mmCIF file with all atom_site columns, all heavy atoms in Angstrom:
data_model
loop_
_atom_site.group_PDB
_atom_site.id
_atom_site.type_symbol
_atom_site.label_atom_id
_atom_site.label_alt_id
_atom_site.label_comp_id
_atom_site.label_asym_id
_atom_site.label_entity_id
_atom_site.label_seq_id
_atom_site.pdbx_PDB_ins_code
_atom_site.Cartn_x
_atom_site.Cartn_y
_atom_site.Cartn_z
_atom_site.occupancy
_atom_site.B_iso_or_equiv
_atom_site.pdbx_formal_charge
_atom_site.auth_seq_id
_atom_site.auth_comp_id
_atom_site.auth_asym_id
_atom_site.auth_atom_id
_atom_site.pdbx_PDB_model_num
ATOM 1   N N   . GLY A 1 146 ? -9.960  8.071  -24.927 1.00 0.00 ? 160 GLY A N   1
ATOM 2   C CA  . GLY A 1 146 ? -10.822 8.404  -23.855 1.00 0.00 ? 160 GLY A CA  1
ATOM 3   C C   . GLY A 1 146 ? -11.574 9.704  -24.026 1.00 0.00 ? 160 GLY A C   1
ATOM 4   O O   . GLY A 1 146 ? -10.986 10.560 -24.687 1.00 0.00 ? 160 GLY A O   1
ATOM 5   N N   . GLY A 1 147 ? -12.740 9.886  -23.477 1.00 0.00 ? 161 GLY A N   1
ATOM 6   C CA  . GLY A 1 147 ? -13.405 11.145 -23.710 1.00 0.00 ? 161 GLY A CA  1
ATOM 7   C C   . GLY A 1 147 ? -14.645 11.244 -22.780 1.00 0.00 ? 161 GLY A C   1
ATOM 8   O O   . GLY A 1 147 ? -14.966 10.376 -22.017 1.00 0.00 ? 161 GLY A O   1
ATOM 9   N N   . ARG A 1 148 ? -15.239 12.434 -22.949 1.00 0.00 ? 162 ARG A N   1
ATOM 10  C CA  . ARG A 1 148 ? -16.421 12.772 -22.137 1.00 0.00 ? 162 ARG A CA  1
ATOM 11  C C   . ARG A 1 148 ? -17.326 13.675 -22.985 1.00 0.00 ? 162 ARG A C   1
ATOM 12  O O   . ARG A 1 148 ? -16.845 14.638 -23.595 1.00 0.00 ? 162 ARG A O   1
ATOM 13  C CB  . ARG A 1 148 ? -16.037 13.455 -20.895 1.00 0.00 ? 162 ARG A CB  1
ATOM 14  C CG  . ARG A 1 148 ? -17.213 13.881 -20.028 1.00 0.00 ? 162 ARG A CG  1
ATOM 15  C CD  . ARG A 1 148 ? -16.729 14.519 -18.669 1.00 0.00 ? 162 ARG A CD  1
ATOM 16  N NE  . ARG A 1 148 ? -17.849 14.815 -17.832 1.00 0.00 ? 162 ARG A NE  1
ATOM 17  C CZ  . ARG A 1 148 ? -18.347 16.075 -17.783 1.00 0.00 ? 162 ARG A CZ  1
ATOM 18  N NH1 . ARG A 1 148 ? -17.812 17.048 -18.421 1.00 0.00 ? 162 ARG A NH1 1
ATOM 19  N NH2 . ARG A 1 148 ? -19.436 16.328 -16.982 1.00 0.00 ? 162 ARG A NH2 1
ATOM 20  N N   . TYR A 1 149 ? -18.597 13.397 -22.930 1.00 0.00 ? 163 TYR A N   1
ATOM 21  C CA  . TYR A 1 149 ? -19.618 14.277 -23.651 1.00 0.00 ? 163 TYR A CA  1
ATOM 22  C C   . TYR A 1 149 ? -20.644 14.556 -22.582 1.00 0.00 ? 163 TYR A C   1
ATOM 23  O O   . TYR A 1 149 ? -21.157 13.702 -21.864 1.00 0.00 ? 163 TYR A O   1
ATOM 24  C CB  . TYR A 1 149 ? -20.329 13.496 -24.796 1.00 0.00 ? 163 TYR A CB  1
ATOM 25  C CG  . TYR A 1 149 ? -21.334 14.306 -25.484 1.00 0.00 ? 163 TYR A CG  1
ATOM 26  C CD1 . TYR A 1 149 ? -21.072 15.422 -26.202 1.00 0.00 ? 163 TYR A CD1 1
ATOM 27  C CD2 . TYR A 1 149 ? -22.613 13.930 -25.214 1.00 0.00 ? 163 TYR A CD2 1
ATOM 28  C CE1 . TYR A 1 149 ? -22.101 16.101 -26.810 1.00 0.00 ? 163 TYR A CE1 1
ATOM 29  C CE2 . TYR A 1 149 ? -23.749 14.661 -25.722 1.00 0.00 ? 163 TYR A CE2 1
ATOM 30  C CZ  . TYR A 1 149 ? -23.408 15.793 -26.562 1.00 0.00 ? 163 TYR A CZ  1
ATOM 31  O OH  . TYR A 1 149 ? -24.425 16.504 -27.095 1.00 0.00 ? 163 TYR A OH  1
ATOM 32  N N   . SER A 1 150 ? -20.897 15.891 -22.368 1.00 0.00 ? 164 SER A N   1
ATOM 33  C CA  . SER A 1 150 ? -21.936 16.316 -21.467 1.00 0.00 ? 164 SER A CA  1
ATOM 34  C C   . SER A 1 150 ? -22.758 17.423 -22.078 1.00 0.00 ? 164 SER A C   1
ATOM 35  O O   . SER A 1 150 ? -22.282 18.296 -22.755 1.00 0.00 ? 164 SER A O   1
ATOM 36  C CB  . SER A 1 150 ? -21.137 16.897 -20.198 1.00 0.00 ? 164 SER A CB  1
ATOM 37  O OG  . SER A 1 150 ? -22.056 17.388 -19.295 1.00 0.00 ? 164 SER A OG  1
ATOM 38  N N   . LYS A 1 151 ? -24.104 17.402 -21.779 1.00 0.00 ? 165 LYS A N   1
ATOM 39  C CA  . LYS A 1 151 ? -24.955 18.317 -22.313 1.00 0.00 ? 165 LYS A CA  1
ATOM 40  C C   . LYS A 1 151 ? -26.197 18.530 -21.387 1.00 0.00 ? 165 LYS A C   1
ATOM 41  O O   . LYS A 1 151 ? -26.711 17.572 -20.974 1.00 0.00 ? 165 LYS A O   1
ATOM 42  C CB  . LYS A 1 151 ? -25.439 17.901 -23.698 1.00 0.00 ? 165 LYS A CB  1
ATOM 43  C CG  . LYS A 1 151 ? -26.307 18.993 -24.387 1.00 0.00 ? 165 LYS A CG  1
ATOM 44  C CD  . LYS A 1 151 ? -26.566 18.677 -25.810 1.00 0.00 ? 165 LYS A CD  1
ATOM 45  C CE  . LYS A 1 151 ? -27.563 19.641 -26.297 1.00 0.00 ? 165 LYS A CE  1
ATOM 46  N NZ  . LYS A 1 151 ? -27.442 20.082 -27.628 1.00 0.00 ? 165 LYS A NZ  1
ATOM 47  N N   . ILE A 1 152 ? -26.580 19.760 -21.203 1.00 0.00 ? 166 ILE A N   1
ATOM 48  C CA  . ILE A 1 152 ? -27.748 20.120 -20.458 1.00 0.00 ? 166 ILE A CA  1
ATOM 49  C C   . ILE A 1 152 ? -28.852 20.288 -21.347 1.00 0.00 ? 166 ILE A C   1
ATOM 50  O O   . ILE A 1 152 ? -28.766 21.211 -22.361 1.00 0.00 ? 166 ILE A O   1
ATOM 51  C CB  . ILE A 1 152 ? -27.539 21.324 -19.541 1.00 0.00 ? 166 ILE A CB  1
ATOM 52  C CG1 . ILE A 1 152 ? -26.363 21.095 -18.611 1.00 0.00 ? 166 ILE A CG1 1
ATOM 53  C CG2 . ILE A 1 152 ? -28.864 21.717 -18.821 1.00 0.00 ? 166 ILE A CG2 1
ATOM 54  C CD1 . ILE A 1 152 ? -25.969 22.359 -17.723 1.00 0.00 ? 166 ILE A CD1 1
ATOM 55  N N   . TYR A 1 153 ? -29.949 19.564 -21.280 1.00 0.00 ? 167 TYR A N   1
ATOM 56  C CA  . TYR A 1 153 ? -31.097 19.709 -22.210 1.00 0.00 ? 167 TYR A CA  1
ATOM 57  C C   . TYR A 1 153 ? -32.106 20.740 -21.787 1.00 0.00 ? 167 TYR A C   1
ATOM 58  O O   . TYR A 1 153 ? -32.634 21.481 -22.583 1.00 0.00 ? 167 TYR A O   1
ATOM 59  C CB  . TYR A 1 153 ? -31.790 18.392 -22.482 1.00 0.00 ? 167 TYR A CB  1
ATOM 60  C CG  . TYR A 1 153 ? -30.909 17.466 -23.329 1.00 0.00 ? 167 TYR A CG  1
ATOM 61  C CD1 . TYR A 1 153 ? -30.191 16.372 -22.731 1.00 0.00 ? 167 TYR A CD1 1
ATOM 62  C CD2 . TYR A 1 153 ? -30.805 17.699 -24.647 1.00 0.00 ? 167 TYR A CD2 1
ATOM 63  C CE1 . TYR A 1 153 ? -29.395 15.631 -23.545 1.00 0.00 ? 167 TYR A CE1 1
ATOM 64  C CE2 . TYR A 1 153 ? -29.953 16.906 -25.489 1.00 0.00 ? 167 TYR A CE2 1
ATOM 65  C CZ  . TYR A 1 153 ? -29.286 15.873 -24.877 1.00 0.00 ? 167 TYR A CZ  1
ATOM 66  O OH  . TYR A 1 153 ? -28.573 15.012 -25.635 1.00 0.00 ? 167 TYR A OH  1
ATOM 67  N N   . ASN A 1 154 ? -32.480 20.748 -20.513 1.00 0.00 ? 168 ASN A N   1
ATOM 68  C CA  . ASN A 1 154 ? -33.422 21.713 -19.952 1.00 0.00 ? 168 ASN A CA  1
ATOM 69  C C   . ASN A 1 154 ? -33.188 21.844 -18.454 1.00 0.00 ? 168 ASN A C   1
ATOM 70  O O   . ASN A 1 154 ? -32.158 21.386 -17.995 1.00 0.00 ? 168 ASN A O   1
ATOM 71  C CB  . ASN A 1 154 ? -34.869 21.338 -20.239 1.00 0.00 ? 168 ASN A CB  1
ATOM 72  C CG  . ASN A 1 154 ? -35.207 19.930 -19.951 1.00 0.00 ? 168 ASN A CG  1
ATOM 73  O OD1 . ASN A 1 154 ? -34.771 19.466 -18.841 1.00 0.00 ? 168 ASN A OD1 1
ATOM 74  N ND2 . ASN A 1 154 ? -35.941 19.209 -20.687 1.00 0.00 ? 168 ASN A ND2 1
ATOM 75  N N   . ASP A 1 155 ? -34.104 22.332 -17.726 1.00 0.00 ? 169 ASP A N   1
ATOM 76  C CA  . ASP A 1 155 ? -33.934 22.605 -16.308 1.00 0.00 ? 169 ASP A CA  1
ATOM 77  C C   . ASP A 1 155 ? -33.835 21.330 -15.474 1.00 0.00 ? 169 ASP A C   1
ATOM 78  O O   . ASP A 1 155 ? -33.283 21.324 -14.417 1.00 0.00 ? 169 ASP A O   1
ATOM 79  C CB  . ASP A 1 155 ? -35.055 23.431 -15.741 1.00 0.00 ? 169 ASP A CB  1
ATOM 80  C CG  . ASP A 1 155 ? -34.985 24.866 -16.264 1.00 0.00 ? 169 ASP A CG  1
ATOM 81  O OD1 . ASP A 1 155 ? -33.850 25.265 -16.728 1.00 0.00 ? 169 ASP A OD1 1
ATOM 82  O OD2 . ASP A 1 155 ? -36.050 25.534 -16.125 1.00 0.00 ? 169 ASP A OD2 1
ATOM 83  N N   . ILE A 1 156 ? -34.344 20.202 -16.024 1.00 0.00 ? 170 ILE A N   1
ATOM 84  C CA  . ILE A 1 156 ? -34.339 18.988 -15.249 1.00 0.00 ? 170 ILE A CA  1
ATOM 85  C C   . ILE A 1 156 ? -33.569 17.837 -15.818 1.00 0.00 ? 170 ILE A C   1
ATOM 86  O O   . ILE A 1 156 ? -33.530 16.809 -15.183 1.00 0.00 ? 170 ILE A O   1
ATOM 87  C CB  . ILE A 1 156 ? -35.797 18.499 -14.962 1.00 0.00 ? 170 ILE A CB  1
ATOM 88  C CG1 . ILE A 1 156 ? -36.544 18.275 -16.295 1.00 0.00 ? 170 ILE A CG1 1
ATOM 89  C CG2 . ILE A 1 156 ? -36.542 19.459 -14.055 1.00 0.00 ? 170 ILE A CG2 1
ATOM 90  C CD1 . ILE A 1 156 ? -37.925 17.656 -16.187 1.00 0.00 ? 170 ILE A CD1 1
ATOM 91  N N   . SER A 1 157 ? -33.100 17.971 -17.015 1.00 0.00 ? 171 SER A N   1
ATOM 92  C CA  . SER A 1 157 ? -32.357 16.819 -17.520 1.00 0.00 ? 171 SER A CA  1
ATOM 93  C C   . SER A 1 157 ? -31.022 17.230 -18.130 1.00 0.00 ? 171 SER A C   1
ATOM 94  O O   . SER A 1 157 ? -30.833 18.308 -18.756 1.00 0.00 ? 171 SER A O   1
ATOM 95  C CB  . SER A 1 157 ? -33.205 16.098 -18.626 1.00 0.00 ? 171 SER A CB  1
ATOM 96  O OG  . SER A 1 157 ? -33.447 16.931 -19.725 1.00 0.00 ? 171 SER A OG  1
ATOM 97  N N   . ALA A 1 158 ? -30.022 16.341 -18.056 1.00 0.00 ? 172 ALA A N   1
ATOM 98  C CA  . ALA A 1 158 ? -28.707 16.433 -18.539 1.00 0.00 ? 172 ALA A CA  1
ATOM 99  C C   . ALA A 1 158 ? -28.210 15.058 -18.878 1.00 0.00 ? 172 ALA A C   1
ATOM 100 O O   . ALA A 1 158 ? -28.611 14.066 -18.325 1.00 0.00 ? 172 ALA A O   1
ATOM 101 C CB  . ALA A 1 158 ? -27.809 17.163 -17.607 1.00 0.00 ? 172 ALA A CB  1
#
Side-chain angles (χ1 to χ4, degrees):
R162 177 177 184 261
Y163 175 75
S164 177
K165 182 172 175 142
I166 299 173
Y167 286 104
N168 52 38
D169 291 341
I170 59 171
S171 64

